[in-house]
Amino acid sequence: MATLGPESARLPLTQLGSPPSAQPPSLLPSNRGLERALEEAAASGVLNLSCRKLKEFPRTAANHDLTDTVEADLSKNRLTDVPSEVCHLVALETLNLYHNCIRTIPHTVISLQSLTSLNLSRNQLGSLPPCLCGLPLRVLNASNNKLVSLPETIGQLHNLMELDISCNEITALPRHIGRLKALRELNVRRNLLCVLPEDLADLPLVKFDFSCNKVSTIPVCYRKMKQLQSLQLENNPLQSPPAQICIKGKVHIFKYLSIEACRSEKMPDSLYLPVLERLSLSRPTTGRKQDSDSGVGSDNGDKRLSATEPSDEDSLSLNAPMSHITEEEGVSKDDSSEHIIFSLYVCSAKGAKGTENHIDMINQLKEAVELLQDPSRRANTAGSLETVDPQFTMRRRMEQLREELELMEHLKDSIESRLKVVLPEDLGMSLMDGVVLCHLANHIRPRSVASIHVPSPAVPKLSMAKCRRNVENFLDACKKIGVSEDKLCLPHHILEEKGLVKVCVTVQALLDEASPKHTLLT
């Protein structure tokens, strides 16, 4: 019977079972990789611990000198907090904590006074601590978290150039966000914003994304964002500008905002407040002169505004002789002319639509008043006035100007209804470059204007040569469509805004060619 000898009793353990050293070798590769990353960080200043399933900072890091680390990547791990060891890396300039489980940021992060780039995206942050705003950050990414607000001290990030807080639950931006004077890119996509702060208009933004929010109105002051190149606003319940404007792009949106600003800012009465102030200052408040201003107790009621006669808004009686008006006591000739001009403006504004566009009318009236006040000029031009219109009166001139204003308002409405656009109140300025007129001709007859020069974001204003080419192409198209020569205006009437009435006649003739049956009915 065979027995086991001493040799078989000393067989290697590897042949009898698993050795006790089989477990440690399985952990060695990761430890070796971690040690190698720490060694490289000590040598190069770049710490890369990404994708290592870390729940805490490696304890063996204490064996390495990491004080000169300028860049740390701890992304795609399982960290629940910013490691305190990281807050001791005072030379750190870039910190990437993307895709962890971080819920809070410790106050000790304030010690990173060299940090310029911080990535906190795709974590579980409910808020950002105010101490974070004491860092010299240039780039801050806190997207894909659970933020409901931003700290009020965010305005202290004076060097911040990029801010990404997209995919959170923020309902309003802090009022001090307008203090970020270096901000170039702002991403607030996919939040719960209902209102955009007007202070953003003062920032030098190049990229602005507020898509997928609840914004209904873009402030008109955003038209001042001259450096803005990229604007993302889709998936918002926008009403101003409307959707048909927004889908056309940034240029059309800014044009709409400019038009809305003109409508809200151009107050007719405010244009003439200095005149009223000078009139009130030039007249003493005591004695007979005060009575002459009010029109009470005077001898001749035709000389001034009557406070007792039920006239239309106390407007000036246009039948009164101009010489009587200028001789009124207590009013100098200069103030009298301004007073007359203002009163005539008020009178004309009652019967005309669109009171913002009366500058040309006021200049003409002022010239007429100066002519009537200056005997020498009146004597020199008496012959020409009698030749043109012997029965010239201010009332007739006012009626003529009112008819011209109504004609231009009708023209504006016709163009808007045809092209489905909104034109500014200053019709002459909107037609000056010929773009609208060329589009109108193509609407009447497609391809009648083969080439149209239009502004671009890089060159928002056309050169005079391109404007003239557009205008000439429009007039050529009018001839081809059938507008008669006697109804055609000249190029300078459009380019110099000196013949809007003739332009109205040309455009009306063009519209009549498009709908002759409608013209006969009207």
Side-chain angles (χ1 to χ4, degrees):
M1 181 176 178
T3 60
L4 291 174
E7 293 81 10
S8 62
R10 289 193 293 267
L11 285 174
L13 293 176
T14 54
Q15 299 181 12
L16 298 177
S18 62
S21 61
Q23 296 298 332
S26 64
L27 299 177
L28 287 177
S30 61
N31 291 335
R32 288 174 181 172
L34 196 60
E35 288 298 319
R36 189 180 302 113
L38 294 173
E39 291 173 0
E40 291 178 356
S44 65
V46 178
L47 176 61
N48 187 355
L49 299 179
S50 177
C51 302
R52 296 183 183 273
K53 301 180 181 180
L54 299 176
K55 293 184 179 180
E56 61 181 8
F57 200 74
R59 296 180 181 179
T60 56
N63 302 328
H64 302 272
D65 184 11
L66 302 178
T67 54
D68 294 331
T69 303
V70 295
E71 181 178 341
D73 187 355
L74 300 174
S75 61
K76 297 182 180 180
N77 283 291
R78 299 176 182 177
L79 301 174
T80 58
D81 198 355
V82 178
S84 59
E85 293 86 353
V86 173
C87 298
H88 296 153
L89 305 177
V90 293
L92 202 60
E93 298 178 1
T94 302
L95 176 58
N96 187 358
L97 297 172
Y98 164 76
H99 210 313
N100 279 276
C101 304
I102 299 174
R103 291 182 172 85
T104 59
I105 298 177
H107 294 284
T108 53
V109 75
I110 193 65
S111 61
L112 302 178
Q113 286 300 312
S114 298
L115 193 64
T116 58
S117 178
L118 177 59
N119 189 348
L120 298 170
S121 61
R122 204 170 288 279
N123 279 281
Q124 299 179 18
L125 293 170
S127 63
L128 296 178
C131 62
L132 201 64
C133 302
L135 301 178
L137 292 176
R138 293 190 177 186
V139 179
L140 175 58
N141 188 345
S143 62
N144 290 279
N145 279 279
K146 298 180 180 179
L147 300 177
V148 295
S149 64
L150 293 178
E152 288 293 332
T153 55
I154 195 170
Q156 298 177 7
L157 295 172
H158 302 297
N159 299 322
L160 192 63
M161 301 181 66
E162 298 181 20
L163 176 60
D164 188 349
I165 50 174
S166 59
C167 302
N168 281 284
E169 301 172 7
I170 299 174
T171 56
L173 295 176
R175 54 193 178 96
H176 294 314
I177 197 170
R179 297 181 180 178
L180 303 177
K181 298 303 182 181
L183 195 63
R184 297 293 187 272
E185 299 183 13
L186 176 59
N187 189 348
V188 294
R189 180 178 179 270
R190 203 174 289 280
N191 277 280
L192 303 176
L193 297 176
C194 297
V195 178
L196 296 176
E198 295 185 356
D199 294 339
L200 292 181
D202 300 327
L203 302 182
L205 289 178
V206 177
K207 294 182 180 180
F208 184 26
D209 185 350
F210 64 93
S211 58
C212 303
N213 278 277
K214 298 181 179 180
V215 178
S216 60
T217 302
I218 299 178
V220 294
C221 58
Y222 279 22
R223 72 189 189 282
K224 300 176 183 178
M225 293 182 173
K226 303 298 184 183
Q227 301 183 31
L228 192 63
Q229 298 178 6
S230 175
L231 178 63
Q232 304 295 327
L233 44 70
E234 59 272 9
N235 295 320
N236 277 288
L238 284 170
Q239 298 178 1
S240 176
Q244 58 268 29
I245 298 294
C246 294
I247 60 178
K248 294 181 179 179
K250 180 177 69 72
V251 175
H252 292 272
I253 293 172
F254 277 32
K255 284 185 178 180
Y256 177 89
L257 296 179
S258 299
I259 294 171
E260 289 299 310
C262 292
R263 288 180 176 176
S264 60
E265 293 175 2
K266 283 190 177 180
M267 301 292 185
D269 294 340
S270 65
L271 297 176
Y272 299 91
L273 285 178
V275 176
L276 290 179
E277 291 174 359
R278 290 198 301 272
L279 288 173
S280 61
L281 292 174
S282 63
R283 296 182 177 86
T285 57
T286 58
R288 172 87 177 273
K289 295 180 180 180
Q290 181 178 1
D291 295 336
S292 67
D293 284 340
S294 63
V296 180
S298 57
D299 297 333
N300 191 346
D302 291 336
K303 294 181 182 179
R304 57 193 61 81
L305 301 177
S306 174
T308 58
E309 183 180 354
S311 59
D312 183 13
E313 296 293 327
D314 290 341
S315 60
L316 181 65
S317 175
L318 295 177
N319 291 325
M322 297 301 296
S323 59
H324 291 183
I325 296 175
T326 56
E327 292 170 0
E328 181 179 1
E329 293 182 5
V331 183
S332 65
K333 288 189 177 183
D334 293 337
D335 290 341
S336 175
S337 64
E338 292 173 346
H339 192 188
I340 293 166
I341 291 170
F342 177 78
S343 302
L344 291 174
Y345 167 77
V346 174
C347 179
S348 64
K350 303 302 178 183
K353 302 177 183 178
T355 58
E356 295 89 349
N357 202 12
H358 298 302
I359 303 300
D360 186 47
M361 180 189 73
I362 295 301
N363 292 334
Q364 296 180 21
L365 291 177
K366 188 171 183 179
E367 183 179 357
V369 171
E370 291 175 353
L371 179 64
L372 292 172
Q373 287 181 350
D374 191 347
S376 60
R377 289 184 61 187
R378 188 163 62 246
N380 294 334
T381 58
S384 60
L385 283 176
E386 292 177 358
T387 303
V388 175
D389 188 1
Q391 303 297 329
F392 175 83
T393 61
M394 292 300 295
R395 178 184 290 275
R396 182 167 301 175
R397 181 58 180 161
M398 288 301 304
E399 291 177 353
Q400 179 183 356
L401 292 174
R402 186 180 295 112
E403 291 175 358
E404 293 177 358
L405 289 172
E406 291 176 353
L407 179 62
M408 286 186 285
E409 187 67 23
H410 175 70
L411 171 65
K412 179 174 174 290
D413 294 339
S414 300
I415 295 177
E416 289 179 340
S417 61
R418 293 268 182 172
L419 299 182
K420 302 295 186 297
V421 297
V422 179
L423 296 179
E425 292 298 330
D426 190 352
L427 184 62
M429 180 63 69
S430 60
L431 301 181
M432 186 178 67
D433 58 4
V435 175
V436 174
L437 295 175
C438 288
H439 283 299
L440 180 63
N442 281 341
H443 178 80
I444 300 300
R445 180 178 294 179
R447 303 293 297 172
S448 57
V449 179
S451 176
I452 304 176
H453 295 283
V454 297
S456 64
V459 185
K461 188 175 182 180
L462 294 180
S463 64
M464 183 54 66
K466 292 183 178 180
C467 292
R468 177 174 292 276
R469 201 168 296 124
N470 282 341
V471 170
E472 291 174 351
N473 290 340
F474 164 72
L475 295 176
D476 292 340
C478 290
K479 294 178 183 178
K480 296 176 183 177
I481 293 174
V483 178
S484 58
E485 291 285 346
D486 58 328
K487 293 184 179 181
L488 281 177
C489 63
L490 297 177
H492 73 273
H493 292 151
I494 302 174
L495 296 171
E496 301 177 8
E497 303 181 60
K498 293 184 178 180
L500 284 181
V501 176
K502 295 182 180 180
V503 177
C504 292
V505 172
T506 302
V507 175
Q508 186 59 48
L510 179 63
L511 296 176
D512 292 343
E513 290 293 330
S515 55
K517 293 183 179 179
H518 176 72
T519 305
L520 292 174
L521 290 176
T522 55

